Structures are given as structure tokens and as C-alpha cells.
Amino acid sequence: MAPYSLLVTRLQVKASPAQSAFLALSLPRKKRGPKQRRPGEERRHLFLLFEDSIACSRGVCFHSSRLNRPLTLSEKIVYGHLDDPASQEIERGKSYLRLRPDRVAMQDATAQMAMLQFISSGLSKVAVPSTIHCDHLIEAQVGGEKDLRRAKDINQEVYNFLATAGAKYGVGFWKPGSGIIHQIILENYAYPGVLLIGTDSHTPNGGGLGGICIGVGGADAVDVMAGIPWELKCPKVIGVKLTGSLSGWSSPKDVILKVAGILTVKGGTGAIVEYHGPGVDSISCTGMATICNMGAEIGATTSVFPYNHRMKKYLSKTGREDIANLADEFKDHLVPDPGCHYDQLIEINLSELKPHINGPFTPDLAHPVAEVGKVAEKEGWPLDIRVGLIGSCTNSSYEDMGRSAAVAKQALAHGLKCKSQFTITPGSEQIRATIERDGYAQILRDLGGIVLANACGPCIGQWDRKDIKKGEKNTIVTSYNRNFTGRNDANPETHAFVTSPEIVTALAIAGTLKFNPETDYLTGTDGKKFRLEAPDADELPKGEFDPGQDTYQHPPKDSSGQHVDVSPTSQRLQLLEPFDKWDGKDLEDLQILIKVKGKCTTDHISAAGPWLKFRGHLDNISNNLLIGAINIENGKANSVRNAVTQEFGPVPDTARYYKKHGIRWVVIGDENYGEGSSREHAALEPRHLGGRAIITKSFARIHETNLKKQGLLPLTFADPADYNKIHPVDKLTIQGLKDFTPGKPLKCIIKHPNGTQETILLNHTFNETQIEWFRAGSALNRMKELQQ
């Protein structure tokens, strides 16, 4: 097995009982001899502390007015990690919980800013086990090996920074080529009952192993690495009861595609989605991870499955039998209590679930595969599929690759190859090595596929696509999780659809959206018609996983001689300067930088793709601020009026002009502003360029928190119709900041150019701690104040 970080470490801060208990489960994956094993009784004793913490949440260990009711699984895990369970107020959807996560994980694009912030904190070591994963900066061009070599050369400065910073501050470093962060976490770090935060929105992937794994911004990660309790609004709990069993062409991906169609991209906001019911046992552990992973697309805080034999099987296959045995012993704590209450309940009969495909342009536009062709014809979407892409952090398991290979073998037996271009992205070096050994990779190559590097690649826009020109209308189908406009290839006319790997493979063979593999026929090279049979594959390899190449760097015990260099002339990295403190006054005469029309995701606010290279340089990456957002004034992207010169120009240039001339500004947004990625650059950039507030109808959870962390004001219209009262030429004054208190709305005076004024109310979700962040200028500034 490839070496990796020991998960059992002594924290630099006082751990809560639950934290100590869960650290006992964080045992190394590497197999050890009997003399190396820690005594089972010691681990059992620590897990008993977890029982005590759950008892506190129930109200058993202090006065009975506490909760005194059955708990959902997510409540057990979340409340089991409370910093102070005896006195913590617990009310779903209202109170803010102070939590002690067990672990932090960061992908390389977000780790740069997270580590720069940690360096600014002045601390010498991280307080909890933490890792960096190099998966975002590898561009897909021609194939895995060449693309990886090119990425290592182009990104050498950044990789060196992350490796040396990790060594200096005690953070494990997974080198380029290791694989995608979420797959590595599933293989190495996730376990039943863990509370893990990751600087990527698809961190909930770990819910497939019964953990509460939550996507956050880098500033949240810094809090946890600094040993500060992490704040989270107490989540509501949406229950999804699964009955029946999956069969045929239906797959775990279809569960979340169906749920996304029911809840929409914001239906899970502020809630944990908890799957339960007899149907759970028909889904593999990695299939559960797929479902949890894409739960990010409905805005959910995270998703989770109860511990069962499928998880035990996966833990054992990945060298963690000791954790599986301990989880068995305490399994009553790793499932929901009978009679627990869900804020909303959805029921899905897996036996009746049909294969789905969602899109284009949004992951919640759900269609049965059997119907998407007709819908596409009616809507004018291109039927011809230019590229099929399988893999990604969502669907790159051994089972996924096996089911795709099973479809490919049938086509090859009849002399067929893909009509569409076809790419395969392994989720990790372990998956790549194992599918090469077991022949799956070669079968997919024989079909016409290209095996890409173990990285995010086209899923996040890291795709040097050559088969179309920008602006050319076309269709692609993927097994990814997200399909916003321009996300995969920066072409706003690419119609991207999301489905399971086996459906992608079948559609790539047929080359058209009108093909339904359940009923339609293909024609072999011999002229005979045949129908693809539903794929079947092993969920795990019959033997051991092949670990592949060693790609992990453990931080040294003594890092006193380790240096982290950031050149002052670097175009990729920039040390951070603290943001200015609030001046104690209301915000007068804010200029409107842009009033956004319609959907505005983090891809619109801070584009990925070629901009990823500037994720460690705040000033340079700020040149992509809101370049994808549509200006309601003229219906164009990256074209706003300069209120002083009256000329239209790019959004970042206009923001820089305002900053230079001391003009503070505000953004007006629509519904679910900031949905999508966890990237905090979408909050750092407006703060850096002089923004003071973002006013919208509603926010996505992670982005709202990121804005607060950087000292901005995320505010919502008390009456959503007030969005229509504000015009791009108006000026706004936000009053009430001197008496800024939780739950009390702020006043906003709209000053129209004709001299008239009107007043509206703005709501906020700030608590006392977050108000201190605003006053200090940022959460990082506040941390330094407390240290002093």
C-alpha cells in the first residue's frame, strides 16, 4: 500500500470527548504486524466517550429539557462533535453550533489561499490532521502521462509552495497524479462517524462511508487548522427513504439525479440530506459516495448514509478492518434512531427508478433517458453528441469503470467503437493502477477512449478542447456532477448533460441523445441489429487494490529548518495583506458595480479553467471578478457602466477604477447567488477590489459564509420584490451598522438619480462572532486580535 498520513495525532488544543473518540477511529490504512497495533481496549474506551457525547445531546447527562428525543444519524455525528455539548444551544435552522472537526482536506487550487491565510495567522503547526491534494491544476490535452508531465512543469512553483508549506506546518501532501481529493479521502481518511471539512464543495463524497463531510471555504479550514471551534448553522435534516433495489440500467447516480429534480439547486440549502430505508443495502459504498458527492448540486450542507455491510466491505478492502470492526461494535450510534424526525421526507422506490440524464446548463433539470431525445428535439438542443466523458470525483470507482467496460465489451463484440469522442478520468492512482491491471482501461481504449490523468480535468474546465470553436453549439454527456454554462470547456454554447458512466458510454457509442439503451438497437459491422444488455460488474476487485505509484509526502517530525518562499515578483503566488477594519460608520452612497440578472454561480463570479493558475495570487485572479455575470442593464457579460465616466467596460476594470478613486461599491444579485464551488476567491476578489456588500434574494450556504469571513456584508431583501426597485444607476446607503445585532434587519436607502429616495429592509444571518469578523475587517483579522 502507498504510504499516507497517520490519522491518529495528539491535537494542540483540548479535544471534545467526541473528537477524542473519533480520533480513535482514525487509524492508518497501512497494514501492520501485531506488535504495531494499538490495544483494542484503548480504542474501545475512546469510542465510549462518543457514547457519552451522544447521551449529552439527548439530555441524559444533564437536565431533561435538553433534546430528549430520538436523533437522526446526522444529528448524532454533528452534535457528537460539539465543542461544549452541555451548554450548546441546539435548534435546527437557527442556532449556530461550535464544532470540533476531526480533519481538514484541501485541494491544490483552494489550498494555496488557505495556506497563505494560515501563514498570515502566525501559528507554527496545524492543530488537526490536514492534507493537501494536487488535482485541480492538471489540464487535459492528449492523455494521462503527457498531461501530468506538462502540469508538473507549468505548476512547479505552486507545487513547491504547497509541498514546503505542508512540510513546514505539518500538513500531508499528495503529489500531482495522486488522484482527486474526494476519492483519496474515501480510500484513506473517511470512516463512519467522522466530521471532516474540505475546501471543495464536493467534500460530501465521504458521506458514502457514513461520515459528515462538509465543503467550506479556505478561511473556515484555517479556523480548524488553528484549533478554533468551527461554526455552522444547525442544519435541518431532509430524509430520503429508499425502498426496493437498483437493477438493470439504473445506478446510484440516478438516485441523486432524481433527487436534484425534486429539490432543485437550492432545495437542500441549510440542510443535511440523510438517506435511509431498506433500499440502502442495494447500493455499494462507492455508489453511496456518488449520491452524497452530487448532493452539493442541491445546495445541501452535506449528505450521509447509515453504516452497513457495504461500508464494512469497502473498509476491509482498503485495509481498514480495525475501523470496520469497531464500527460494528458501536453500529447503533452510526444509524438513525427509530422514530427520529425529519424536516422533510422524500420516498424513492429504487425498483421503479429509471435511468436519468440532467441538463443542459443546470444539474437539476432532470429527464429520464428514454425521454431526453424528444425533449432535445422540442427545445432545439443538438442531438449529436460530440464528446462523452466518464470518471471524475463523482463516478470513477472500480464499479463505475467495470460497468462502463461491460457496455464497451458488448459494442466491441459487434465491431463497434464510439461515434463520439470518449475520455476516461480515473479518480485516483489506486483506481488507475487497478483498472489497468484488471483490463478495464484497455477495453475502454479499444472502444476509442483516451485515459486522462488522475485529476479533475474537464469536470472543472481544465480541458484544452480542440474539436469545436468557442460559440459553436454542441452537446456533450458526462458522468460529472456539475454542468453550468461554460463550466467544462469555457464555451457558453456547449450543452452539457450529466448521467451515469454506463449511460455516457452507451450514448457515446450511439452518438446521439435519441438513443435509449433499454429499448433501442444498434447495428453491428455485420449488419445485424443488437441491443445492449444492462451492465453488471464487481463493486470491488476480487483481489487487493493495486496502490500504483507512491505519491504521498508525510510532513517531517522536525520542520524547524523548512523554509517557504514566496517571491515578491511571482505572478502565481502573493502573500496576503490584512483587509481594512470597519470604520465604525454606516456605508454611505455605495455605487452599484453590477446588478446581476438570473443565475450567478461561483463560476460566474470567479471563473475557473485558465484562471486556476492565479489561485494563489489575489490581485491577479481578481481580474476575473464577475466576468461571467449577466448585467441586467444591457444583457451582456463583463460589460458594466462606469458611474463616473459613463463608459461601459469590463467588470474588474470598473471595480479597480472605483477602488482607485475611493468609491465603495455593492453588487445586487438574484436567487441562490454563489451556488456551486466552495472557492473563496469569489469572496476575496470583491473585498480586495473595494466591495462592501452583496445584496441578493438568497445565497448559497458556502458563499454566504465565505463573504462573512472576508468582512463583506451578505444581505438579502426582506421583500424579494425589492430587487426590482434598485437600478444600476442608483446609489445605496446601508444604515444600522452601529447597532449591528443578530436578527435585526438593516435599513437600505435607495437614492435615485432624479433625487427621489425610498427605504427598504435587508435581512442578514450574522451571529455575534460573525459581526466581530465584520468589525475587525475579516475573520483572519479577528483571529489575530484574539491572539494578541
Side-chain angles (χ1 to χ4, degrees), residues 106-349:
M106 300 167 280
Q107 41 94 337
D108 51 354
T110 51
Q112 295 172 63
M113 195 57 66
M115 292 308 297
L116 286 166
Q117 290 178 88
F118 187 82
I119 291 170
S120 296
S121 75
L123 298 172
S124 60
K125 289 286 183 183
V126 295
V128 300
S130 305
T131 48
I132 294 168
H133 304 258
C134 295
D135 60 2
H136 270 57
L137 301 178
I138 302 168
E139 185 179 50
Q141 283 191 329
V142 295
E145 291 185 10
K146 291 182 178 179
D147 291 348
L148 180 57
R149 286 199 299 270
R150 179 173 178 268
K152 287 180 178 179
D153 181 55
I154 291 173
N155 301 306
Q156 181 179 7
E157 178 186 16
V158 171
Y159 291 147
N160 179 65
F161 166 74
L162 293 174
T164 56
K168 177 72 172 177
Y169 297 104
V171 179
F173 181 69
W174 289 85
K175 302 172 187 177
S178 301
I180 305 173
I181 177 173
H182 313 302
Q183 182 66 28
I184 292 176
I185 288 172
L186 200 72
E187 293 171 355
N188 294 273
Y189 301 126
Y191 55 84
V194 71
L195 177 60
L196 179 151
I197 66 166
T199 60
D200 189 280
S201 57
H202 295 102
T203 301
N205 193 78
L209 258 178
I212 293 294
C213 303
I214 301 176
V216 300
D220 277 342
V222 172
D223 279 356
V224 178
M225 291 191 293
I228 296 173
W230 173 59
E231 288 199 347
L232 176 72
K233 180 177 276 191
C234 188
K236 295 183 178 181
V237 188
I238 298 174
V240 179
K241 183 178 180 180
L242 302 178
T243 59
S245 60
L246 290 171
S247 62
W249 284 90
S250 296
S251 72
K253 186 66 165 283
D254 297 308
V255 176
I256 185 58
L257 294 175
K258 177 73 173 178
V259 171
I262 295 170
L263 288 177
T264 77
V265 290
K266 64 176 185 175
T269 302
I272 293 176
V273 179
E274 186 171 309
Y275 293 86
H276 62 282
V280 167
D281 287 342
S282 76
I283 304 174
S284 66
C285 176
T286 52
M288 296 181 215
T290 291
I291 294 167
C292 292
N293 177 295
M294 197 176 159
E297 309 320 317
I298 57 175
T301 301
T302 192
S303 302
V304 67
F305 276 83
Y307 177 68
N308 69 356
H309 71 282
R310 309 298 282 264
M311 294 182 192
K312 180 178 182 178
K313 188 175 181 181
Y314 184 80
L315 285 168
S316 297
K317 184 62 73 171
T318 51
R320 293 173 284 176
E321 297 92 343
D322 40 10
I323 294 177
N325 292 335
L326 195 57
D328 273 347
E329 186 173 347
F330 293 90
K331 62 184 177 182
D332 288 347
H333 300 308
L334 301 172
V335 296
D337 289 335
C340 65
H341 170 71
Y342 296 104
D343 296 284
Q344 181 180 351
L345 184 63
I346 297 169
E347 295 193 32
I348 297 176
N349 185 339

Side-chain angles (χ1 to χ4, degrees), residues 649-661:
V651 182
D653 292 357
T654 307
R656 288 186 186 277
Y657 179 95
Y658 290 159
K659 181 180 180 180
K660 180 180 178 181
H661 291 84

Side-chain angles (χ1 to χ4, degrees), residues 523-769:
T523 303
T525 54
D526 59 1
K528 295 181 180 180
K529 292 185 178 295
F530 71 98
R531 197 168 70 192
L532 294 170
E533 296 180 1
D536 187 33
D538 293 331
E539 64 179 281
L540 295 166
K542 290 183 172 63
E544 295 293 321
F545 276 107
D546 185 336
Q549 300 179 36
D550 179 2
T551 55
Y552 179 72
Q553 171 187 295
H554 194 284
K557 290 183 179 180
D558 181 7
S559 61
S560 57
Q562 183 68 55
H563 295 285
V564 182
D565 295 323
V566 176
S567 169
T569 61
S570 173
Q571 295 301 301
R572 299 286 302 269
L573 298 165
Q574 181 185 48
L575 292 175
L576 297 174
E577 295 291 334
F579 290 130
D580 59 298
K581 292 182 64 174
W582 175 55
D583 60 10
K585 301 177 183 178
D586 288 337
L587 298 175
E588 300 279 349
D589 293 330
L590 295 174
Q591 188 62 56
I592 296 171
L593 177 66
I594 182 173
K595 182 179 180 182
V596 178
K597 179 183 179 182
K599 184 185 283 284
C600 189
T601 72
T602 48
D603 284 336
H604 295 91
I605 303 168
S606 177
W611 291 96
L612 285 170
K613 62 179 174 285
F614 296 127
R615 285 285 181 86
H617 197 294
L618 179 55
D619 194 57
N620 281 346
I621 200 169
S622 293
N623 288 321
N624 76 0
L625 174 65
L626 286 159
I627 61 175
I630 301 301
N631 180 8
I632 200 169
E633 186 175 5
N634 57 12
K636 296 181 180 180
N638 202 25
S639 175
V640 296
R641 184 194 302 272
N642 184 313
V644 178
T645 67
Q646 295 301 307
E647 296 178 354
F648 280 85
V651 182
D653 292 357
T654 307
R656 288 186 186 277
Y657 179 95
Y658 290 159
K659 181 180 180 180
K660 180 180 178 181
H661 291 84
I663 301 170
R664 296 184 293 186
W665 51 264
V666 61
V667 170
I668 308 300
D670 211 316
E671 293 277 8
N672 207 31
Y673 184 91
E675 71 173 277
S677 169
S678 69
R679 70 191 67 152
E680 65 181 337
H681 299 77
L684 282 159
E685 293 175 34
R687 183 73 165 96
H688 175 64
L689 294 185
R692 299 306 302 171
I694 312 291
I695 305 173
T696 71
K697 294 179 182 178
S698 63
F699 285 97
R701 175 190 63 86
I702 299 177
H703 187 61
E704 181 179 15
T705 301
N706 286 346
L707 291 168
K708 293 177 182 178
K709 286 278 186 178
Q710 303 308 331
L712 280 155
L713 289 172
L715 306 170
T716 56
F717 297 104
D719 179 357
D722 287 343
Y723 169 88
N724 299 316
K725 294 180 179 179
I726 298 177
H727 305 286
V729 293
D730 295 336
K731 290 186 177 181
L732 306 180
T733 292
I734 299 174
Q735 296 182 332
L737 293 175
K738 293 180 181 179
D739 189 30
F740 194 12
T741 55
K744 184 177 180 180
L746 299 173
K747 287 185 179 180
C748 178
I749 299 174
I750 307 170
K751 300 179 180 180
H752 302 299
N754 63 6
T756 62
Q757 298 184 4
E758 52 188 317
T759 301
I760 62 174
L761 293 179
L762 302 175
N763 291 333
H764 65 87
T765 60
F766 281 80
N767 62 20
E768 291 288 357
T769 300

